[in-house]
Amino acid sequence: MVSLTIDGKPIKTKKGSTILEAALDNGIEIPHLCYHKGLSVAGACRLCLVKIKGRPGMVASCLTEVAEGMEVIAFDEEIDETRRLIVELILSEHKHDCLVCEKNGQCELQDLAYRLGIDRVRFSVEKPNEELDNSSEVILRDPNRCILCGRCVRSCAEIAVQDVLKFANRGSEMFIIAGLNQLLAETDCVFCGACVQACPTGSLTEKLARFQGRSWEFRKVRTTCPYCGVGCQIELNIKDDRIVKVYGVEEGPENKGHLCVKGRFGFDFVHHEDRLTTPLIKRNGEFEEASWDEALDLVATKFSQLKQKYGSDALAGLSSAKCTNEENYLFQKFVRVCFGTNNVDHCARLCHSSTVAGLSRAFGSGAMTNSIREFEKADVILITGSNTTENHPVIGSLLKHVARYKGVKLIVVDPREIELTGYATIWLRQRSGTDVAWINGLMNVIVNEALYDEEFIKSRTENFEEFKKVILKYTPDRVEKITGIPKRKLIEAARMYARAKKASIVFAMGITQHITGTDNVLSLANLAMLCGNVGKEGTGVNPLRGQNNVQGACDLGALPDVYPGYQKVSDPKIREKFERAWRAKLSPKEGLTVVEMMNAASEGRIKVFT
Amino acid sequence: MRLYRSHVLVGMDTFTLLAGARKVKEHLIRQIEKRGLSDEIKVLETGSLGITNRGVVLLIYPEGCYYVNVKPEDVPEIVEEHLLKGRTVQRLLFKGELERKAVALPESPLDVRRQSRVVLQNCGVIDPENIDEYIGRGGYEALERALFQMKPQEVIEQVKRSGLVGRGGAGFPTGLKWEISAKVASEEKYIICNADEGEPGTFKDRVIMEGDPHRVIEGMLLAGYAVGANKGFIYIRGEYALSIQRMEKAIKQAYEYNLLGSNILETNFSFDLEMRKGAGAYVCGEETALIESLEGKRGEPRNKPPYPGTCGLWGKPTVVNNVETLANIPSIIVKGADWFRSLGTKETPGTKLYTILGHVVNQGVIEVETGITLRKIIFDYGGGMKNGREFKAALVGGAAGCFLGKDMLDVKMDYTTLKSYKAVLGSGAVLVMDTSTCIVDMLRCILDFFKRESCGKCVPCRMGTDRLYRLIVDISSGKGTKDHPKLMLELAQMMNKASFCPLGQSVLLPLSSAFKYFEDEVMEHILDKRCPAGVCKMGEK
Ligand SMILES: Cc1cc2nc3c(=O)[nH]c(=O)nc-3n(C[C@H](O)[C@H](O)[C@H](O)COP(=O)(O)O)c2cc1C
Ligand code: SF4
Ligand code: SF4
Ligand code: SF4
């Protein structure tokens, strides 16, 4: 910790932080426009200039590290005057149409102008009105409101790692360019909106939100993105019970404000006109609108009749990993208590059941062993069976970010050339379906070259000798024949993974959806354990899951063989416990999985599905 | 070795090339052949002969006789009269003792200031495209001495003791700069020769590179040896076609002689050298913007600290030195620090190259000991004011320099003295103006330059330079108000305090010095809508 004073106020802050960070953390609002938390520092707007006792002139507080005993002057007449003149200059060519600007009320320039009391603007220049870039379906670019702070440029390069937005020209002719001076829709833009979130003014805005509400009218609700398993934290901006726009929550532990196009802009389905708003009952071959009472009565009667006629096990229910914990709990309880069967399952069965099977066997749980942001701490990350930038874009961006800015080496094992192969130090191209072989091949090299973590193996694993026997059969030569991966590259990758202080493994459905899916997962777990890459920061075996609440749906028992908390249905003691709690007789028989349900239904054994 | 009766040196620099020096040279050779004199007379190419803006320049030895404004059609006469019959061609002769003194002439029996030529000692004397001639004049002796007799630290000590300060503008002690990089432990370190020379009215580095390219290479080698760097880059102004060509050739020759490359002179010192061309941005002469540009990025300055000395090119310790700075090094190593200290002033010893331009009789680059006064530069070396007009002001240090009026004529033109007058020596450009110059118009040109050259990174400079230009255009077109000078100073002062890099910070210098010396003239533009020098077309914009 470092102690300093800012305008006489004593402050303690982390070593290595800048004066600006220290000030903001302590509620001292030093003006700034180009600084944005989470982005690199440009020092371009010069509004955060402060004085330091004993040093001549002013320094940019965003670029100056704190030092013990430093006495900072953040506000005095000269500094205020300098800041005012800078803001006055910015205003002198800014389009003054706050009246209809989407950022009105939350524009950093507006706030600053007000705060500094800029009541006159000299130096005004007439600038021709530039055309808006309306090409994207979700982002509107208005160059006339741009103050060239470069936050969009940096977010596109550093958060999205997409490099679409750049500065063009120089001096007073500088402007922000998309691609090769193209319309945004014609560039490599992935419409993640990182730039929109970073823009302090109304230059980059959400197109769908245009004229849908003023900033002060919104009710804000923090929730989890309904799409993939990254679980980004989002903030809904709601007016009149309609979602108008979505921000990434900067404190979100996974996404730190970043979102992908789905999370940020893909909410139109919520209010889509094709959605049902009342129950429909099919009468005479036609759907007719009905009241909830009518519909529920009908369903309840039919279910009861069918249950009586065919027995409990002719009924089945599918829950969803996109539902909340509460909903999943209620649903499985409903199936178990009311239907009287364990025929309950959910979609995780189809993507990552092999992960759950494999990882529960290896570690006792099917979740990621480490948290997402720990990728920043790894030295090497092995990615396989995951086209991360397509399927888990926010993690994809993070992986590109760590490869480019944090010096993390990526090993990508994928038969296809995906975006991440462009960021990889090593790319291994296996023949489809030969995953066990190459993973064994890596372990073969690691064992032969004694690169494994002996201490870890001794204290934390079992059956190493037996394991070795199998592994030793997978010589690089043999593996090359099976997988098509050149021996030289396999060895290189094995050394890189094993020699790293902290190496992490990332995988997704390219690993799990094979007949050998469970074995693939187990092999990856073995690889991690072999090198002691479990239980440490920045390491681990990390399945990227498909839905935003896979964990919850499983934890809460939307599975045919377990009650909430993975308690076995087949265990009579446990069953009795649940019978007491739920005051109902429960079936002792494990239920059907999704796939089994479907087969049973087609054979006529399942009569009711919900 | 064949002995020739006469040598004809053809000055080949950017100016003379444009004036047709190649053609003159071809004619000379042909005429000499035609008369069967090829065995007696040798035609040689050399760098700048120190006479600027006088067309093609020839120097004939042993007489030490200069011809200027030579056209191809003059060649038969020169060959016939001078080389055959021994009679000088009066009409082409570079005349007058004053004029003769005014330029930095290469060694000749008449040259009284031979001792003050350090950097330019070979310029106009040797064939810059021939490494043997450089070696013949003691070239690469310093390298040999350093490699075989000195430890790197001793090289640094010697440079430190010499008191050499950077000639690129900032005047930072060179030895200290090297020491900082030498102390950082790093596998990779770099030496960059800043040959971007973008300061308006400055072409001293060009004269060095065109006239004696190996001296620059040797300076870089010595810097590399001293700090432990094995790789160098010359970041050269893209428009300097002849410098590029000569530097390229020199690098190639040095590689052939194993003066560059691995295990130089069979020692364990290795040094590779590459040249990179700048794309015409003034700001890329600023060392950190230069480094960004070298890395292939947008030419914008970086924040300092960290300074390049510890964290420069690709994050590695990097020494950035100006061409002239580096060209001083070989002599310092061979002749010693004490010898260097015996030249010039105590605070900034050695010589300095000045580029004299504007309304003087002789324009060009001179090398003189530091401590010379402005008056001497203009009236002695510059040959006085052109057309007998009166001296009005000199802009010293380039666009980012200062206007010095009559009362400053006797001020010494060195880093420390000028600093005490809140002026700068900068690149050593001296732009001399007589009374036909309008200060408002000069300011307009300067501000136009800054507006074009601002990189745009920071708000004060990006917008400030643009607004300053607009305001000065107002004044020069008769639309200025009494508030204009005040507003301009307010802006420039803010830019001085708040700009990211020295480019934006230094606009205040020319502006405030012009307003200080020529307030009346500026006010006349504003109040009377009149340009006393008759330059500004009032009423037009
Ligand atoms: C806007 C700007 C332009 C500059 N241009 C040049 C240049 O063209 N050549 C040069 O040698 N130094 C230039 N400099 C100075 C360099 O930043 C640096 O100080 C110098 O190259 C260091 O070399 P020295 O120590 O040998 O003088 C410039 C500085 C600024 C701020
Ligand atoms: S939406 Fe994302 S990819 Fe597109 S320009 Fe903005 S930051 Fe870059
Ligand atoms: S578009 Fe927004 S974020 Fe980008 S430079 Fe302009 S004002 Fe800054
Ligand atoms: S002062 Fe600012 S805008 Fe001007 S050249 Fe330097 S960094 Fe660029």
Side-chain angles (χ1 to χ4, degrees):
Chain A
M1 290 305 252
V2 178
S3 314
L4 67 155
T5 64
I6 299 181
D7 289 334
K9 180 179 168 184
I11 275 174
K12 271 197 192 310
T13 187
K14 270 206 313 275
K15 205 172 166 255
S17 59
T18 64
I19 297 175
L20 183 62
E21 284 164 350
L24 295 177
D25 287 347
N26 285 279
I28 302 172
E29 279 292 322
I30 298 180
H32 58 271
L33 281 173
C34 70
Y35 170 83
H36 190 63
K37 203 171 175 180
L39 297 178
S40 66
V41 178
C45 73
R46 314 307 285 169
L47 283 163
C48 72
L49 290 175
V50 296
K51 292 180 188 167
I52 297 169
K53 255 219 184 111
R55 289 198 209 171
M58 305 182 196
V59 297
S61 60
C62 65
L63 286 165
T64 311
E65 261 185 40
V66 292
E68 186 60 40
M70 196 181 239
E71 292 174 55
V72 177
I73 302 155
F75 297 91
D76 73 8
E77 199 156 324
E78 190 188 7
I79 300 172
D80 288 350
E81 209 38 67
T82 306
R83 288 182 185 146
R84 268 202 286 274
L85 191 47
I86 292 173
V87 174
E88 192 183 339
L89 275 175
I90 296 175
L91 290 177
S92 73
E93 63 179 48
H94 191 73
K95 184 166 151 193
H96 294 294
D97 60 351
C98 301
L99 282 179
V100 286
C101 180
E102 288 300 326
K103 271 283 166 73
N104 193 357
Q106 58 175 167
C107 166
E108 292 177 37
L109 177 62
Q110 198 185 53
D111 290 349
L112 207 55
Y114 187 83
R115 190 174 145 203
L116 296 176
I118 313 288
D119 52 2
R120 60 168 181 193
V121 175
R122 301 162 294 170
F123 316 108
S124 279
V125 292
E126 280 297 315
K127 279 191 116 185
N129 224 359
E130 301 282 337
E131 252 182 74
L132 307 193
D133 178 353
N134 211 350
S135 62
S136 152
E137 283 178 52
V138 289
I139 296 172
L140 185 71
R141 290 179 69 215
D142 180 355
N144 306 297
R145 292 188 178 118
C146 174
I147 59 168
L148 298 172
C149 66
R151 274 155 60 160
C152 56
V153 174
R154 278 173 282 142
S155 16
C156 192
E158 296 166 15
I159 297 180
V161 198
Q162 208 62 26
D163 300 316
V164 171
L165 301 175
K166 291 278 166 195
F167 286 112
N169 287 358
R170 62 176 191 217
S172 54
E173 282 165 22
M174 194 158 101
F175 66 99
I176 302 289
I177 196 174
L180 301 168
N181 207 8
Q182 293 154 296
L183 293 172
L184 196 59
E186 295 166 354
T187 66
D188 287 343
C189 176
V190 294
F191 307 108
C192 64
C195 52
V196 178
Q197 177 141 344
C199 182
T201 70
S203 186
L204 286 165
T205 51
E206 296 85 354
K207 196 163 153 185
L208 301 173
R210 255 191 127 196
F211 306 122
Q212 299 302 306
R214 329 271 348 225
S215 59
W216 53 85
E217 295 173 321
F218 296 134
R219 183 160 62 89
K220 304 194 179 244
V221 174
R222 180 170 163 174
T223 180
T224 305
C225 170
Y227 287 96
C228 78
V230 179
C232 295
Q233 291 300 293
I234 58 177
E235 183 191 77
L236 306 178
N237 285 249
I238 299 166
K239 186 190 166 191
D240 301 336
D241 286 335
R242 289 182 74 86
I243 301 170
V244 177
K245 60 179 144 190
V246 171
Y247 293 132
V249 176
E250 307 270 349
E251 301 79 40
E254 300 81 14
N255 56 322
K256 297 244 171 96
H258 190 37
L259 293 176
C260 77
V261 63
K262 297 174 288 176
R264 196 182 298 275
F265 300 114
F267 55 81
D268 45 345
F269 71 91
V270 177
H271 308 293
H272 200 282
E273 55 182 31
D274 288 355
R275 288 193 70 182
L276 295 185
T277 48
T278 63
L280 300 178
I281 295 176
K282 207 174 206 172
R283 292 192 181 108
N284 308 323
E286 294 281 330
F287 278 116
E288 284 173 17
E289 289 193 0
S291 73
W292 276 105
D293 281 343
E294 250 182 295
L296 289 174
D297 282 346
L298 178 66
V299 170
T301 330
K302 290 257 174 168
F303 280 4
S304 308
Q305 284 170 1
L306 290 165
K307 179 176 163 187
Q308 252 168 4
K309 192 159 169 200
Y310 298 105
S312 283
D313 287 339
L315 280 68
L318 283 181
S319 188
S320 169
K322 272 191 191 297
C323 292
T324 61
N325 288 352
E326 292 81 353
E327 286 161 341
N328 270 296
Y329 177 81
L330 280 176
F331 188 82
Q332 58 86 34
K333 182 177 170 188
F334 165 74
V335 172
R336 291 192 157 113
V337 173
C338 298
F339 284 1
T341 174
N342 285 312
N343 288 343
V344 58
D345 203 1
H346 74 278
C347 41
R349 172 77 47 212
L350 299 172
C351 49
H352 272 286
S353 56
S354 37
T355 296
V356 177
L359 291 190
S360 336
R361 236 197 285 164
F363 304 130
S365 161
M368 283 175 77
T369 57
N370 292 61
S371 61
I372 291 170
R373 282 283 150 180
E374 285 178 42
F375 292 142
E376 289 175 306
K377 307 272 169 65
D379 301 306
V380 168
I381 303 176
L382 187 152
I383 302 154
T384 184
S386 162
N387 189 354
T388 326
T389 53
E390 296 259 318
N391 294 312
H392 299 88
V394 168
I395 294 182
S397 294
L398 180 63
L399 291 174
K400 291 197 284 180
H401 174 89
V402 298
R404 184 192 282 185
Y405 297 100
K406 302 264 151 107
V408 179
K409 293 193 178 114
L410 305 188
I411 302 172
V412 174
V413 191
D414 202 302
R416 297 161 307 163
E417 182 169 8
I418 54 175
E419 195 185 348
L420 280 182
T421 56
Y423 292 79
T425 309
I426 300 178
W427 170 28
L428 305 181
R429 230 174 166 171
Q430 82 277 39
R431 230 168 255 142
S432 266
T434 63
D435 297 301
V436 171
W438 67 258
I439 302 167
N440 282 349
L442 290 180
M443 294 195 280
N444 178 289
V445 177
I446 293 168
V447 168
N448 271 327
E449 300 191 2
L451 297 172
Y452 52 88
D453 184 338
E454 249 189 275
E455 176 53 39
F456 186 92
I457 289 167
K458 246 193 253 151
S459 56
R460 313 285 177 93
T461 65
E462 316 164 331
N463 288 342
F464 183 57
E465 289 309 318
E466 244 168 280
F467 158 85
K468 235 160 100 179
K469 268 186 232 150
V470 180
I471 291 308
L472 289 177
K473 287 190 215 144
Y474 284 86
T475 61
D477 280 314
R478 182 165 170 231
V479 170
E480 176 170 338
K481 267 194 214 108
I482 302 174
T483 65
I485 296 171
K487 173 174 138 183
R488 179 182 54 78
K489 286 188 115 175
L490 185 86
I491 295 173
E492 200 188 331
R495 288 178 184 158
M496 183 181 285
Y497 177 83
R499 283 184 185 150
K501 267 214 191 85
K502 289 178 278 179
S504 174
I505 296 174
V506 171
F507 71 93
M509 271 127 71
I511 280 292
T512 59
Q513 298 198 335
H514 287 276
I515 30 175
T516 58
T518 307
D519 293 329
N520 291 351
V521 173
L522 272 170
S523 302
L524 288 174
N526 282 342
L527 174 61
M529 288 187 280
L530 184 62
C531 297
N533 274 322
V534 185
K536 288 190 292 190
E537 191 183 38
T539 65
V541 184
N542 301 296
L544 306 184
R545 309 291 299 257
Q547 315 285 5
N548 59 345
N549 198 22
V550 181
Q551 199 61 46
C554 295
D555 289 353
L556 276 300
L559 296 169
D561 54 341
V562 289
Y563 296 121
Y566 305 100
Q567 306 181 62
K568 288 274 176 213
V569 166
S570 50
D571 184 332
K573 265 212 217 104
I574 290 170
R575 194 168 60 246
E576 274 161 33
K577 183 172 76 180
F578 276 96
E579 284 178 338
R580 241 177 292 129
W582 289 344
R583 283 187 232 125
K585 190 95 192 101
L586 298 178
S587 163
K589 203 169 118 200
E590 283 186 7
L592 301 177
T593 64
V594 178
V595 182
E596 288 163 348
M597 284 179 204
M598 295 301 160
N599 290 337
S602 72
E603 288 160 15
R605 284 188 283 121
I606 294 276
K607 299 289 183 192
V608 170
F609 239 132
T610 180
Chain B
M1 198 176 140
R2 168 173 279 146
L3 284 174
Y4 292 96
R5 164 165 75 78
S6 284
H7 288 86
V8 183
L9 270 60
V10 188
M12 287 280 187
D13 58 32
T14 302
F15 288 120
T16 58
L17 269 179
L18 288 172
R22 276 223 196 286
K23 210 157 201 176
V24 170
K25 184 186 162 197
E26 282 163 22
H27 274 67
L28 269 169
I29 293 173
R30 227 174 301 140
Q31 285 291 327
I32 289 168
E33 264 171 19
K34 217 162 105 188
R35 299 190 180 254
L37 298 175
S38 303
D39 290 344
E40 297 170 43
I41 299 166
K42 175 95 178 147
V43 179
L44 293 164
E45 248 183 55
T46 182
S48 169
L49 286 166
I51 302 172
T52 308
N53 278 353
R54 296 268 167 99
V56 179
V57 186
L58 304 181
L59 169 57
I60 301 183
Y61 281 116
E63 298 87 342
C65 173
Y66 287 83
Y67 289 120
V68 294
N69 290 320
V70 180
K71 298 260 166 353
E73 54 270 26
D74 300 324
V75 169
E77 190 183 343
I78 294 174
V79 175
E80 171 84 23
E81 287 294 305
H82 188 133
L83 296 173
L84 203 61
K85 300 181 180 155
R87 293 193 292 242
T88 43
V89 183
Q90 286 298 321
R91 73 183 171 86
L92 296 174
L93 209 53
F94 183 60
K95 293 190 205 90
E97 190 55 23
L98 190 68
E99 285 196 7
R100 188 179 254 294
K101 254 172 69 188
V103 287
L105 303 181
E107 285 178 86
S108 79
L110 289 173
D111 184 13
V112 289
R113 289 170 315 282
R114 178 177 3 185
Q115 72 280 9
S116 60
R117 304 203 61 182
V118 176
V119 169
L120 295 181
Q121 60 183 275
N122 291 336
C123 189
V125 179
I126 62 166
D127 176 358
E129 304 202 1
N130 187 341
I131 186 171
D132 292 329
E133 298 207 5
Y134 178 64
I135 294 172
R137 300 249 313 165
Y140 291 112
E141 197 182 313
L143 178 69
E144 195 183 321
R145 186 171 302 188
L147 290 186
F148 293 103
Q149 296 170 24
M150 297 168 85
K151 293 200 190 82
Q153 186 51 37
E154 288 170 338
V155 176
I156 293 177
E157 279 310 317
Q158 192 144 330
V159 176
K160 263 172 85 178
R161 268 198 306 119
S162 76
L164 175 70
V165 301
R167 302 294 198 235
F172 190 82
T174 307
L176 189 58
K177 187 182 266 191
W178 291 11
E179 191 167 49
I180 291 167
S181 291
K183 278 191 179 150
V184 186
S186 171
E187 287 274 300
E188 286 160 58
K189 295 181 188 179
Y190 299 100
I191 306 294
I192 295 175
C193 169
N194 187 345
D196 199 42
E197 198 159 58
E199 197 62 57
T202 312
F203 49 86
K204 60 172 183 85
D205 294 341
R206 190 184 79 203
V207 169
I208 301 171
M209 292 186 288
E210 287 176 359
D212 200 4
H214 284 286
R215 179 168 298 274
V216 181
I217 297 176
E218 190 175 3
M220 291 185 76
L221 278 160
L222 290 164
Y225 177 69
V227 307
N230 301 111
K231 174 98 199 173
F233 289 93
I234 301 176
Y235 188 90
I236 193 164
R237 186 176 168 140
E239 294 95 328
Y240 278 4
L242 187 62
S243 299
I244 291 170
Q245 182 197 320
R246 292 211 166 129
M247 286 302 322
E248 233 158 34
K249 202 158 186 177
I251 291 172
K252 198 165 150 257
Q253 290 171 347
Y255 267 107
E256 281 162 12
Y257 278 54
N258 187 221
L259 292 161
L260 282 175
S262 323
N263 303 98
I264 291 168
L265 302 176
E266 288 163 17
T267 62
N268 351 327
F269 177 59
S270 303
F271 194 81
D272 281 301
L273 186 53
E274 267 180 58
M275 190 153 58
R276 295 287 161 88
K277 284 180 246 175
Y282 171 56
V283 75
C284 287
E286 195 282 330
E287 54 191 8
T288 58
L290 183 156
I291 288 171
E292 287 278 293
S293 166
L294 257 184
E295 289 183 5
K297 302 184 188 139
R298 207 180 141 78
E300 283 179 353
R302 290 181 185 169
N303 185 50
K304 295 191 248 187
Y307 291 89
T310 50
C311 176
L313 190 60
W314 296 301
K316 302 286 188 275
T318 304
V319 168
V320 184
N321 271 135
N322 171 256
V323 174
E324 184 187 342
T325 313
L326 290 164
N328 268 298
I329 305 294
S331 300
I332 291 175
I333 298 303
V334 172
K335 297 191 184 162
D338 293 334
W339 161 81
F340 193 79
R341 290 207 82 98
S342 73
L343 303 172
T345 64
K346 241 180 107 188
E347 294 81 20
T348 49
T351 63
K352 176 79 196 94
L353 269 60
Y354 296 89
T355 316
I356 317 178
L357 279 176
H359 299 141
V360 283
V361 176
N362 301 310
Q363 303 177 337
V365 172
I366 60 167
E367 178 176 8
V368 288
E369 291 183 39
T370 56
I372 187 173
T373 61
L374 181 57
R375 185 184 302 280
K376 232 175 151 185
I377 293 179
I378 299 173
F379 292 97
D380 193 352
Y381 294 90
M385 300 301 294
K386 215 177 189 164
N387 304 326
R389 283 218 191 86
E390 204 189 319
F391 170 80
K392 179 170 185 171
L395 180 64
V396 174
C402 237
F403 284 96
L404 301 182
K406 267 194 211 129
D407 57 334
M408 296 284 282
L409 274 171
D410 293 308
V411 167
K412 286 185 177 170
M413 294 287 107
D414 60 56
Y415 293 96
T416 24
T417 316
L418 282 173
K419 218 176 199 167
S420 67
Y421 287 94
K422 292 212 159 86
V424 289
L425 182 54
S427 61
V430 180
L431 177 60
V432 183
M433 287 158 272
D434 66 21
T435 42
S436 68
T437 318
C438 168
I439 289 298
V440 172
D441 190 58
M442 269 302 293
L443 272 181
R444 190 185 55 77
C445 295
I446 291 173
L447 293 174
D448 187 32
F449 172 79
F450 277 115
K451 170 182 128 89
R452 287 167 197 272
E453 295 302 338
S454 163
C455 79
K457 179 186 174 108
C458 70
V459 179
C461 170
R462 181 180 72 231
M463 301 185 118
T465 51
D466 178 72
R467 299 308 188 275
L468 284 176
Y469 176 69
R470 288 168 193 260
L471 291 165
I472 197 78
V473 168
D474 280 352
I475 298 180
S476 77
S477 58
K479 297 192 185 74
T481 68
K482 267 199 298 206
D483 286 339
H484 271 63
K486 217 180 84 235
L487 280 179
M488 290 178 77
L489 280 174
E490 189 184 337
L491 265 181
Q493 260 146 10
M494 183 277 285
M495 289 163 67
N496 178 257
K497 287 182 221 165
S499 291
F500 188 95
C501 88
L503 190 149
Q505 289 159 8
S506 60
V507 182
L508 179 64
L509 276 178
L511 194 72
S512 61
S513 58
F515 280 179
K516 180 177 131 209
Y517 280 110
F518 304 103
E519 194 186 350
D520 293 347
E521 190 176 335
V522 175
M523 290 318 283
E524 215 171 319
H525 281 78
I526 292 171
L527 299 177
D528 307 338
K529 313 282 174 217
R530 207 180 75 84
C531 172
V535 177
C536 302
K537 304 208 172 66
M538 308 301 270
E540 285 175 28
K541 198 159 180 176

